[in-house]
Amino acid sequence: MGFICSFHSSACLYTILFLLVCASWLGPQLALAKHRGITRRYKFEVRMQNVTRLCQTKSIVTINGQFPGPRIIAREGDSLEIKVVNHVKYNVTIHWHGIRQLRSGWADGPAYITQCPIQPGQSYVYKYTIKGQRGTLFWHAHISWLRATLYGPLVILPKRGVPYPFPHPFKEVPIVFGEWWKADTEAVINQAMKTGSAPNLSDAFTINGLPGPLYSCSVKDTFKLKVKPGKTYLLRLVNAALNNELFFSIANHTLTVVEADAIYTKPFKANTILITPGQTTNVLLRAKRHHPNALFLMAARPYATGPATFDNTTTAAILEYAHHDPSRKPKATKLPLIKPKLPFFNDTSFAAKFTNKLRSLANSKFPANVPKKIDRHFFFTVGLGLLPCSKNQNCSGPNNTMVGAAINNISFVQPKTALLQAHFLRQSNGVYTSNFPTKPPTRFNYTGTPPTNIMLNKGTRLMSLPYNTNVELLLQDTSIIGAESHPLHLHGFNFFVVGQGFGNFDSKKDPAKFNLVDPIERNTVGVPSGGWVAIRFRADNPGVWFMHCHLEVHTSWGLKMAWIVQDGKKKHQKLPPPPADLPKC
Ligand code: C2O
Ligand code: CU
């Protein structure tokens, strides 16, 4: 028992009791804890809570009544035990987005992929250890559209005594972007899937749950960041929005990017940050040396490339300078409010320039272990298409069809039971097949004029990889129905983004340009609108790993698949059996 109890914001009776019990042997363990990591326990009670935004009150699904949800803090090397108790009428699962879950796939969280949902009245303890990661990640519900309100930051500090590879900030502040919907998001997606039409749009974006002053009724619902002149702040940006990539900028301030998806980057300066759903970015904000006698707006609005309409609104928070001498403080309302300039909503060339600047540190302390010898090459198209509707539906597409989305023309069908269980128990029959195509069924001009037949196939097909396979995966956007940027997220791994470009990937010319020296390492990458991206990873984590577009509407339409990574020969290369409390379907 090499752990001590830790205390956290959502301290409940359960924790206190536990603290009392273990306080007796806390003393001698402290010395050990420095080196070995501790176990941090959280209790997540899923319950409904009334929340008012945009002048309307609605009942939303929350953790412990908080919106956004509680912050999880741990250090690299720590273990987490998070007990999730479901008190709502919906099935729930929670995903720890970006956590590698080394040999702990049972705690990953995507519903029907690694676990059956936690049913109303049931609970499940997610147990995992954070190995070799530090930085900002987040957690969110991973079933239907519940993550609209069930999300929160997950902060991994370096091991005790280990500094950041950048100036130590005076303060650290999570900045979590979300979407706010006046409607019930479960009703929105259910309705869309029934009628085959596109789901309605969100009504606002939020910063730390607050829409900000550019929305009606929302001046009081504005996040304020108070800074001291001359100090440096670490902003932990998280895009937890459902369906929108976002540009973010602070008026008259330059940001320094130092980390993405819990991987340190070579620092670079930027006035505007692009962050897709599923991505996290740490930036340093250096406050001006002298009090500027102004307020500064920090604003975010969509980067949107697809054929559909989008929520074209802007969320904002306020950056305010504290006065050394409060008596000299002018009335805040008198100060001019300076607004940032954000790129045009479809500025794809900005997106490409920004993502090209992201580079791994790639030094001796934080090496970029890019797979050099590739065992398997895959070419996956990602994009939209048409799906047939059932006879009792009356869908708006031609011949009773609806818009769907797919990888290699396969629109993924969610199974009725969890894939990881079926895989572990060798009961794949009737649940999934392991024949996911390595390339699209037909070759066509992916980013040119689409073929006449744009019907998609359905299936629960997986790709199986032997342990330690080095994978190179080409993700190619298609222009079917419309080219669009797709933020692809891979569970269980980080990957290296070795190349990207516009148009169709050219297997003769493009690989020569790959960056194998200091490519950015991350868990979510935007497949460029009308372009391609090449990623590499080593399949060194046994389990079943979901890969999907992090635009929730595309996931609902089927832009998802899963990888099986088989056990290795050695004991520490095998997936342990499921925990006893793993929910049943
Ligand atoms: Cu953040 Cu599979 O998700
Ligand atoms: Cu997508």
Side-chain angles (χ1 to χ4, degrees):
M1 296 235 279
F3 55 79
I4 62 163
C5 304
S6 73
F7 213 50
H8 49 80
S9 56
S10 55
C12 48
L13 193 59
Y14 163 87
T15 325
I16 294 166
L17 278 175
F18 192 81
L19 269 171
L20 288 176
V21 171
C22 58
S24 49
W25 44 265
L26 198 147
Q29 299 291 332
L30 268 178
L32 273 178
K34 264 191 187 164
H35 308 283
R36 293 174 67 182
I38 60 172
T39 296
R40 301 180 189 245
R41 294 180 177 78
Y42 286 82
K43 194 165 188 194
F44 272 26
E45 310 244 15
V46 186
R47 56 171 191 255
M48 302 306 293
Q49 176 72 43
N50 277 346
V51 173
T52 306
R53 294 289 185 274
L54 312 173
C55 272
Q56 277 183 35
T57 302
K58 75 167 184 171
S59 181
I60 62 168
V61 186
T62 66
I63 299 296
N64 305 338
Q66 290 170 247
F67 174 73
R71 184 186 317 180
I72 288 186
I73 298 187
R75 281 189 190 277
E76 177 183 349
D78 286 352
S79 296
L80 283 163
E81 292 186 14
I82 303 149
K83 182 172 188 178
V84 178
V85 190
N86 184 2
H87 300 290
V88 302
K89 65 177 180 185
Y90 307 104
N91 283 340
V92 172
T93 71
I94 305 286
H95 168 52
W96 321 94
H97 180 115
I99 294 278
R100 286 217 48 204
Q101 300 292 4
L102 292 162
R103 295 175 63 234
S104 55
W106 304 107
D108 192 38
Y112 303 107
I113 307 296
T114 60
Q115 69 166 101
C116 297
I118 309 168
Q119 292 171 28
Q122 307 287 306
S123 66
Y124 179 45
V125 185
Y126 290 89
K127 293 186 185 176
Y128 55 90
T129 301
I130 301 168
K131 290 179 203 146
Q133 295 185 278
R134 75 301 293 164
T136 307
L137 295 171
F138 71 121
W139 57 266
H140 62 76
H142 211 311
I143 183 164
S144 192
W145 277 26
L146 287 185
R147 76 178 182 86
T149 58
L150 279 183
Y151 63 83
L154 199 170
V155 174
I156 312 165
L157 301 171
K159 289 186 176 169
R160 195 175 285 286
V162 176
Y164 294 127
F166 45 81
H168 194 81
F170 174 65
K171 245 187 167 175
E172 305 187 359
V173 189
I175 302 280
V176 185
F177 304 110
E179 280 168 11
W180 183 261
W181 301 65
K182 287 181 180 168
D184 170 357
T185 42
E186 288 307 285
V188 168
I189 186 57
N190 290 339
Q191 165 82 4
M193 295 310 280
K194 222 165 74 200
T195 62
S197 46
N200 288 339
L201 303 178
S202 53
D203 297 286
F205 297 100
T206 55
I207 294 178
N208 293 340
L210 302 167
L214 305 181
Y215 295 96
S216 62
C217 254
S218 302
V219 173
K220 61 180 189 322
D221 294 325
T222 300
F223 177 73
K224 279 208 184 78
L225 177 60
K226 290 214 172 102
V227 296
K228 288 191 174 156
K231 301 278 189 206
T232 298
Y233 294 79
L234 179 68
L235 307 185
R236 297 177 174 274
L237 311 179
V238 175
N239 188 346
L242 288 177
N243 293 325
N244 290 275
E245 304 188 28
L246 294 168
F247 290 124
F248 171 72
S249 184
I250 306 180
N252 286 16
H253 288 74
T254 301
L255 304 167
T256 305
V257 177
V258 293
E259 186 215 297
D261 294 4
I263 295 285
Y264 295 130
T265 65
K266 290 204 172 76
F268 69 93
K269 290 195 162 57
N271 293 320
T272 299
I273 304 296
L274 172 63
I275 186 166
T276 79
Q279 290 183 336
T280 51
T281 309
N282 279 3
V283 297
L284 293 174
L285 166 69
R286 182 84 197 269
K288 295 180 187 305
R289 284 224 263 139
H290 302 288
H291 194 286
N293 282 317
L295 296 172
F296 303 94
L297 217 54
M298 341 200 296
R301 73 162 187 231
Y303 164 52
T305 53
T309 51
F310 63 98
D311 177 352
N312 193 12
T313 63
T314 306
T315 181
I318 286 172
L319 175 68
E320 187 182 332
Y321 279 76
H323 260 278
H324 294 301
D325 176 4
S327 66
R328 276 181 47 213
K329 188 182 170 202
K331 276 221 172 74
T333 49
K334 291 232 179 75
L335 292 177
L337 179 63
I338 304 176
K339 295 182 181 167
K341 277 196 201 69
L342 286 156
F344 204 55
F345 76 87
N346 61 1
D347 195 343
T348 291
S349 88
F350 176 92
K353 271 186 225 134
F354 180 81
T355 51
N356 270 324
K357 281 187 203 144
L358 289 161
R359 296 295 159 95
S360 289
L361 265 186
N363 59 22
S364 54
K365 259 197 204 137
F366 301 100
N369 295 316
V370 189
K372 297 275 160 50
K373 195 189 112 300
I374 297 300
D375 303 305
R376 302 284 314 264
H377 289 265
F378 300 102
F379 185 88
F380 289 2
T381 53
V382 295
L384 308 179
L386 290 177
L387 282 170
C389 290
S390 66
K391 286 208 187 72
N392 51 24
Q393 280 174 299
N394 186 11
C395 291
S396 47
N399 305 318
N400 197 25
T401 54
M402 64 172 277
V403 173
I407 302 178
N408 277 353
N409 225 50
I410 295 170
S411 187
F412 189 86
V413 176
Q414 206 91 289
K416 300 258 168 338
T417 181
L419 297 174
L420 186 58
Q421 266 167 306
H423 161 69
F424 186 83
L425 301 170
R426 300 178 198 285
Q427 292 170 349
S428 61
N429 248 339
V431 183
Y432 69 84
T433 54
S434 303
N435 56 352
F436 194 87
T438 58
K439 55 182 187 348
T442 52
R443 270 179 75 160
F444 61 97
N445 182 359
Y446 307 112
T447 52
T449 313
T452 38
N453 180 0
I454 57 167
M455 289 303 285
L456 304 170
N457 297 313
K458 288 187 185 180
T460 309
R461 292 163 67 169
L462 276 58
M463 177 65 76
S464 183
L465 300 168
Y467 184 83
N468 260 345
T469 304
N470 278 329
V471 174
E472 181 179 286
L473 171 60
L474 247 301
L475 294 162
Q476 171 74 59
D477 184 33
T478 78
S479 54
I480 296 173
I481 300 182
E484 181 163 11
S485 165
H486 296 280
L488 255 282
H489 170 51
L490 175 61
H491 288 229
F493 300 92
N494 288 326
F495 49 75
F496 292 94
V497 183
V498 296
Q500 62 172 38
F502 292 113
N504 301 334
F505 173 69
D506 182 338
S507 61
K508 301 242 156 47
K509 288 197 195 115
D510 289 323
K513 290 177 249 159
F514 285 177
N515 173 9
L516 305 180
V517 177
D518 64 350
I520 189 70
E521 181 182 347
R522 60 188 327 168
N523 64 58
T524 304
V525 67
V527 179
S529 180
W532 55 269
V533 64
I535 65 174
R536 289 185 175 188
F537 64 97
R538 181 197 273 271
D540 58 358
N541 190 11
V544 174
W545 305 107
F546 207 16
M547 188 176 83
H548 60 93
C549 180
H550 219 281
L551 303 181
E552 209 53 45
V553 53
H554 292 171
T555 308
S556 303
W557 284 344
L559 212 169
K560 48 190 165 180
M561 58 82 71
W563 303 85
I564 296 172
V565 176
Q566 295 154 23
D567 281 347
K569 293 215 172 63
K570 305 204 176 95
K571 189 157 173 275
H572 70 275
Q573 299 174 336
K574 295 184 197 305
L575 178 73
D581 63 340
L582 186 75
K584 295 189 176 59
C585 281

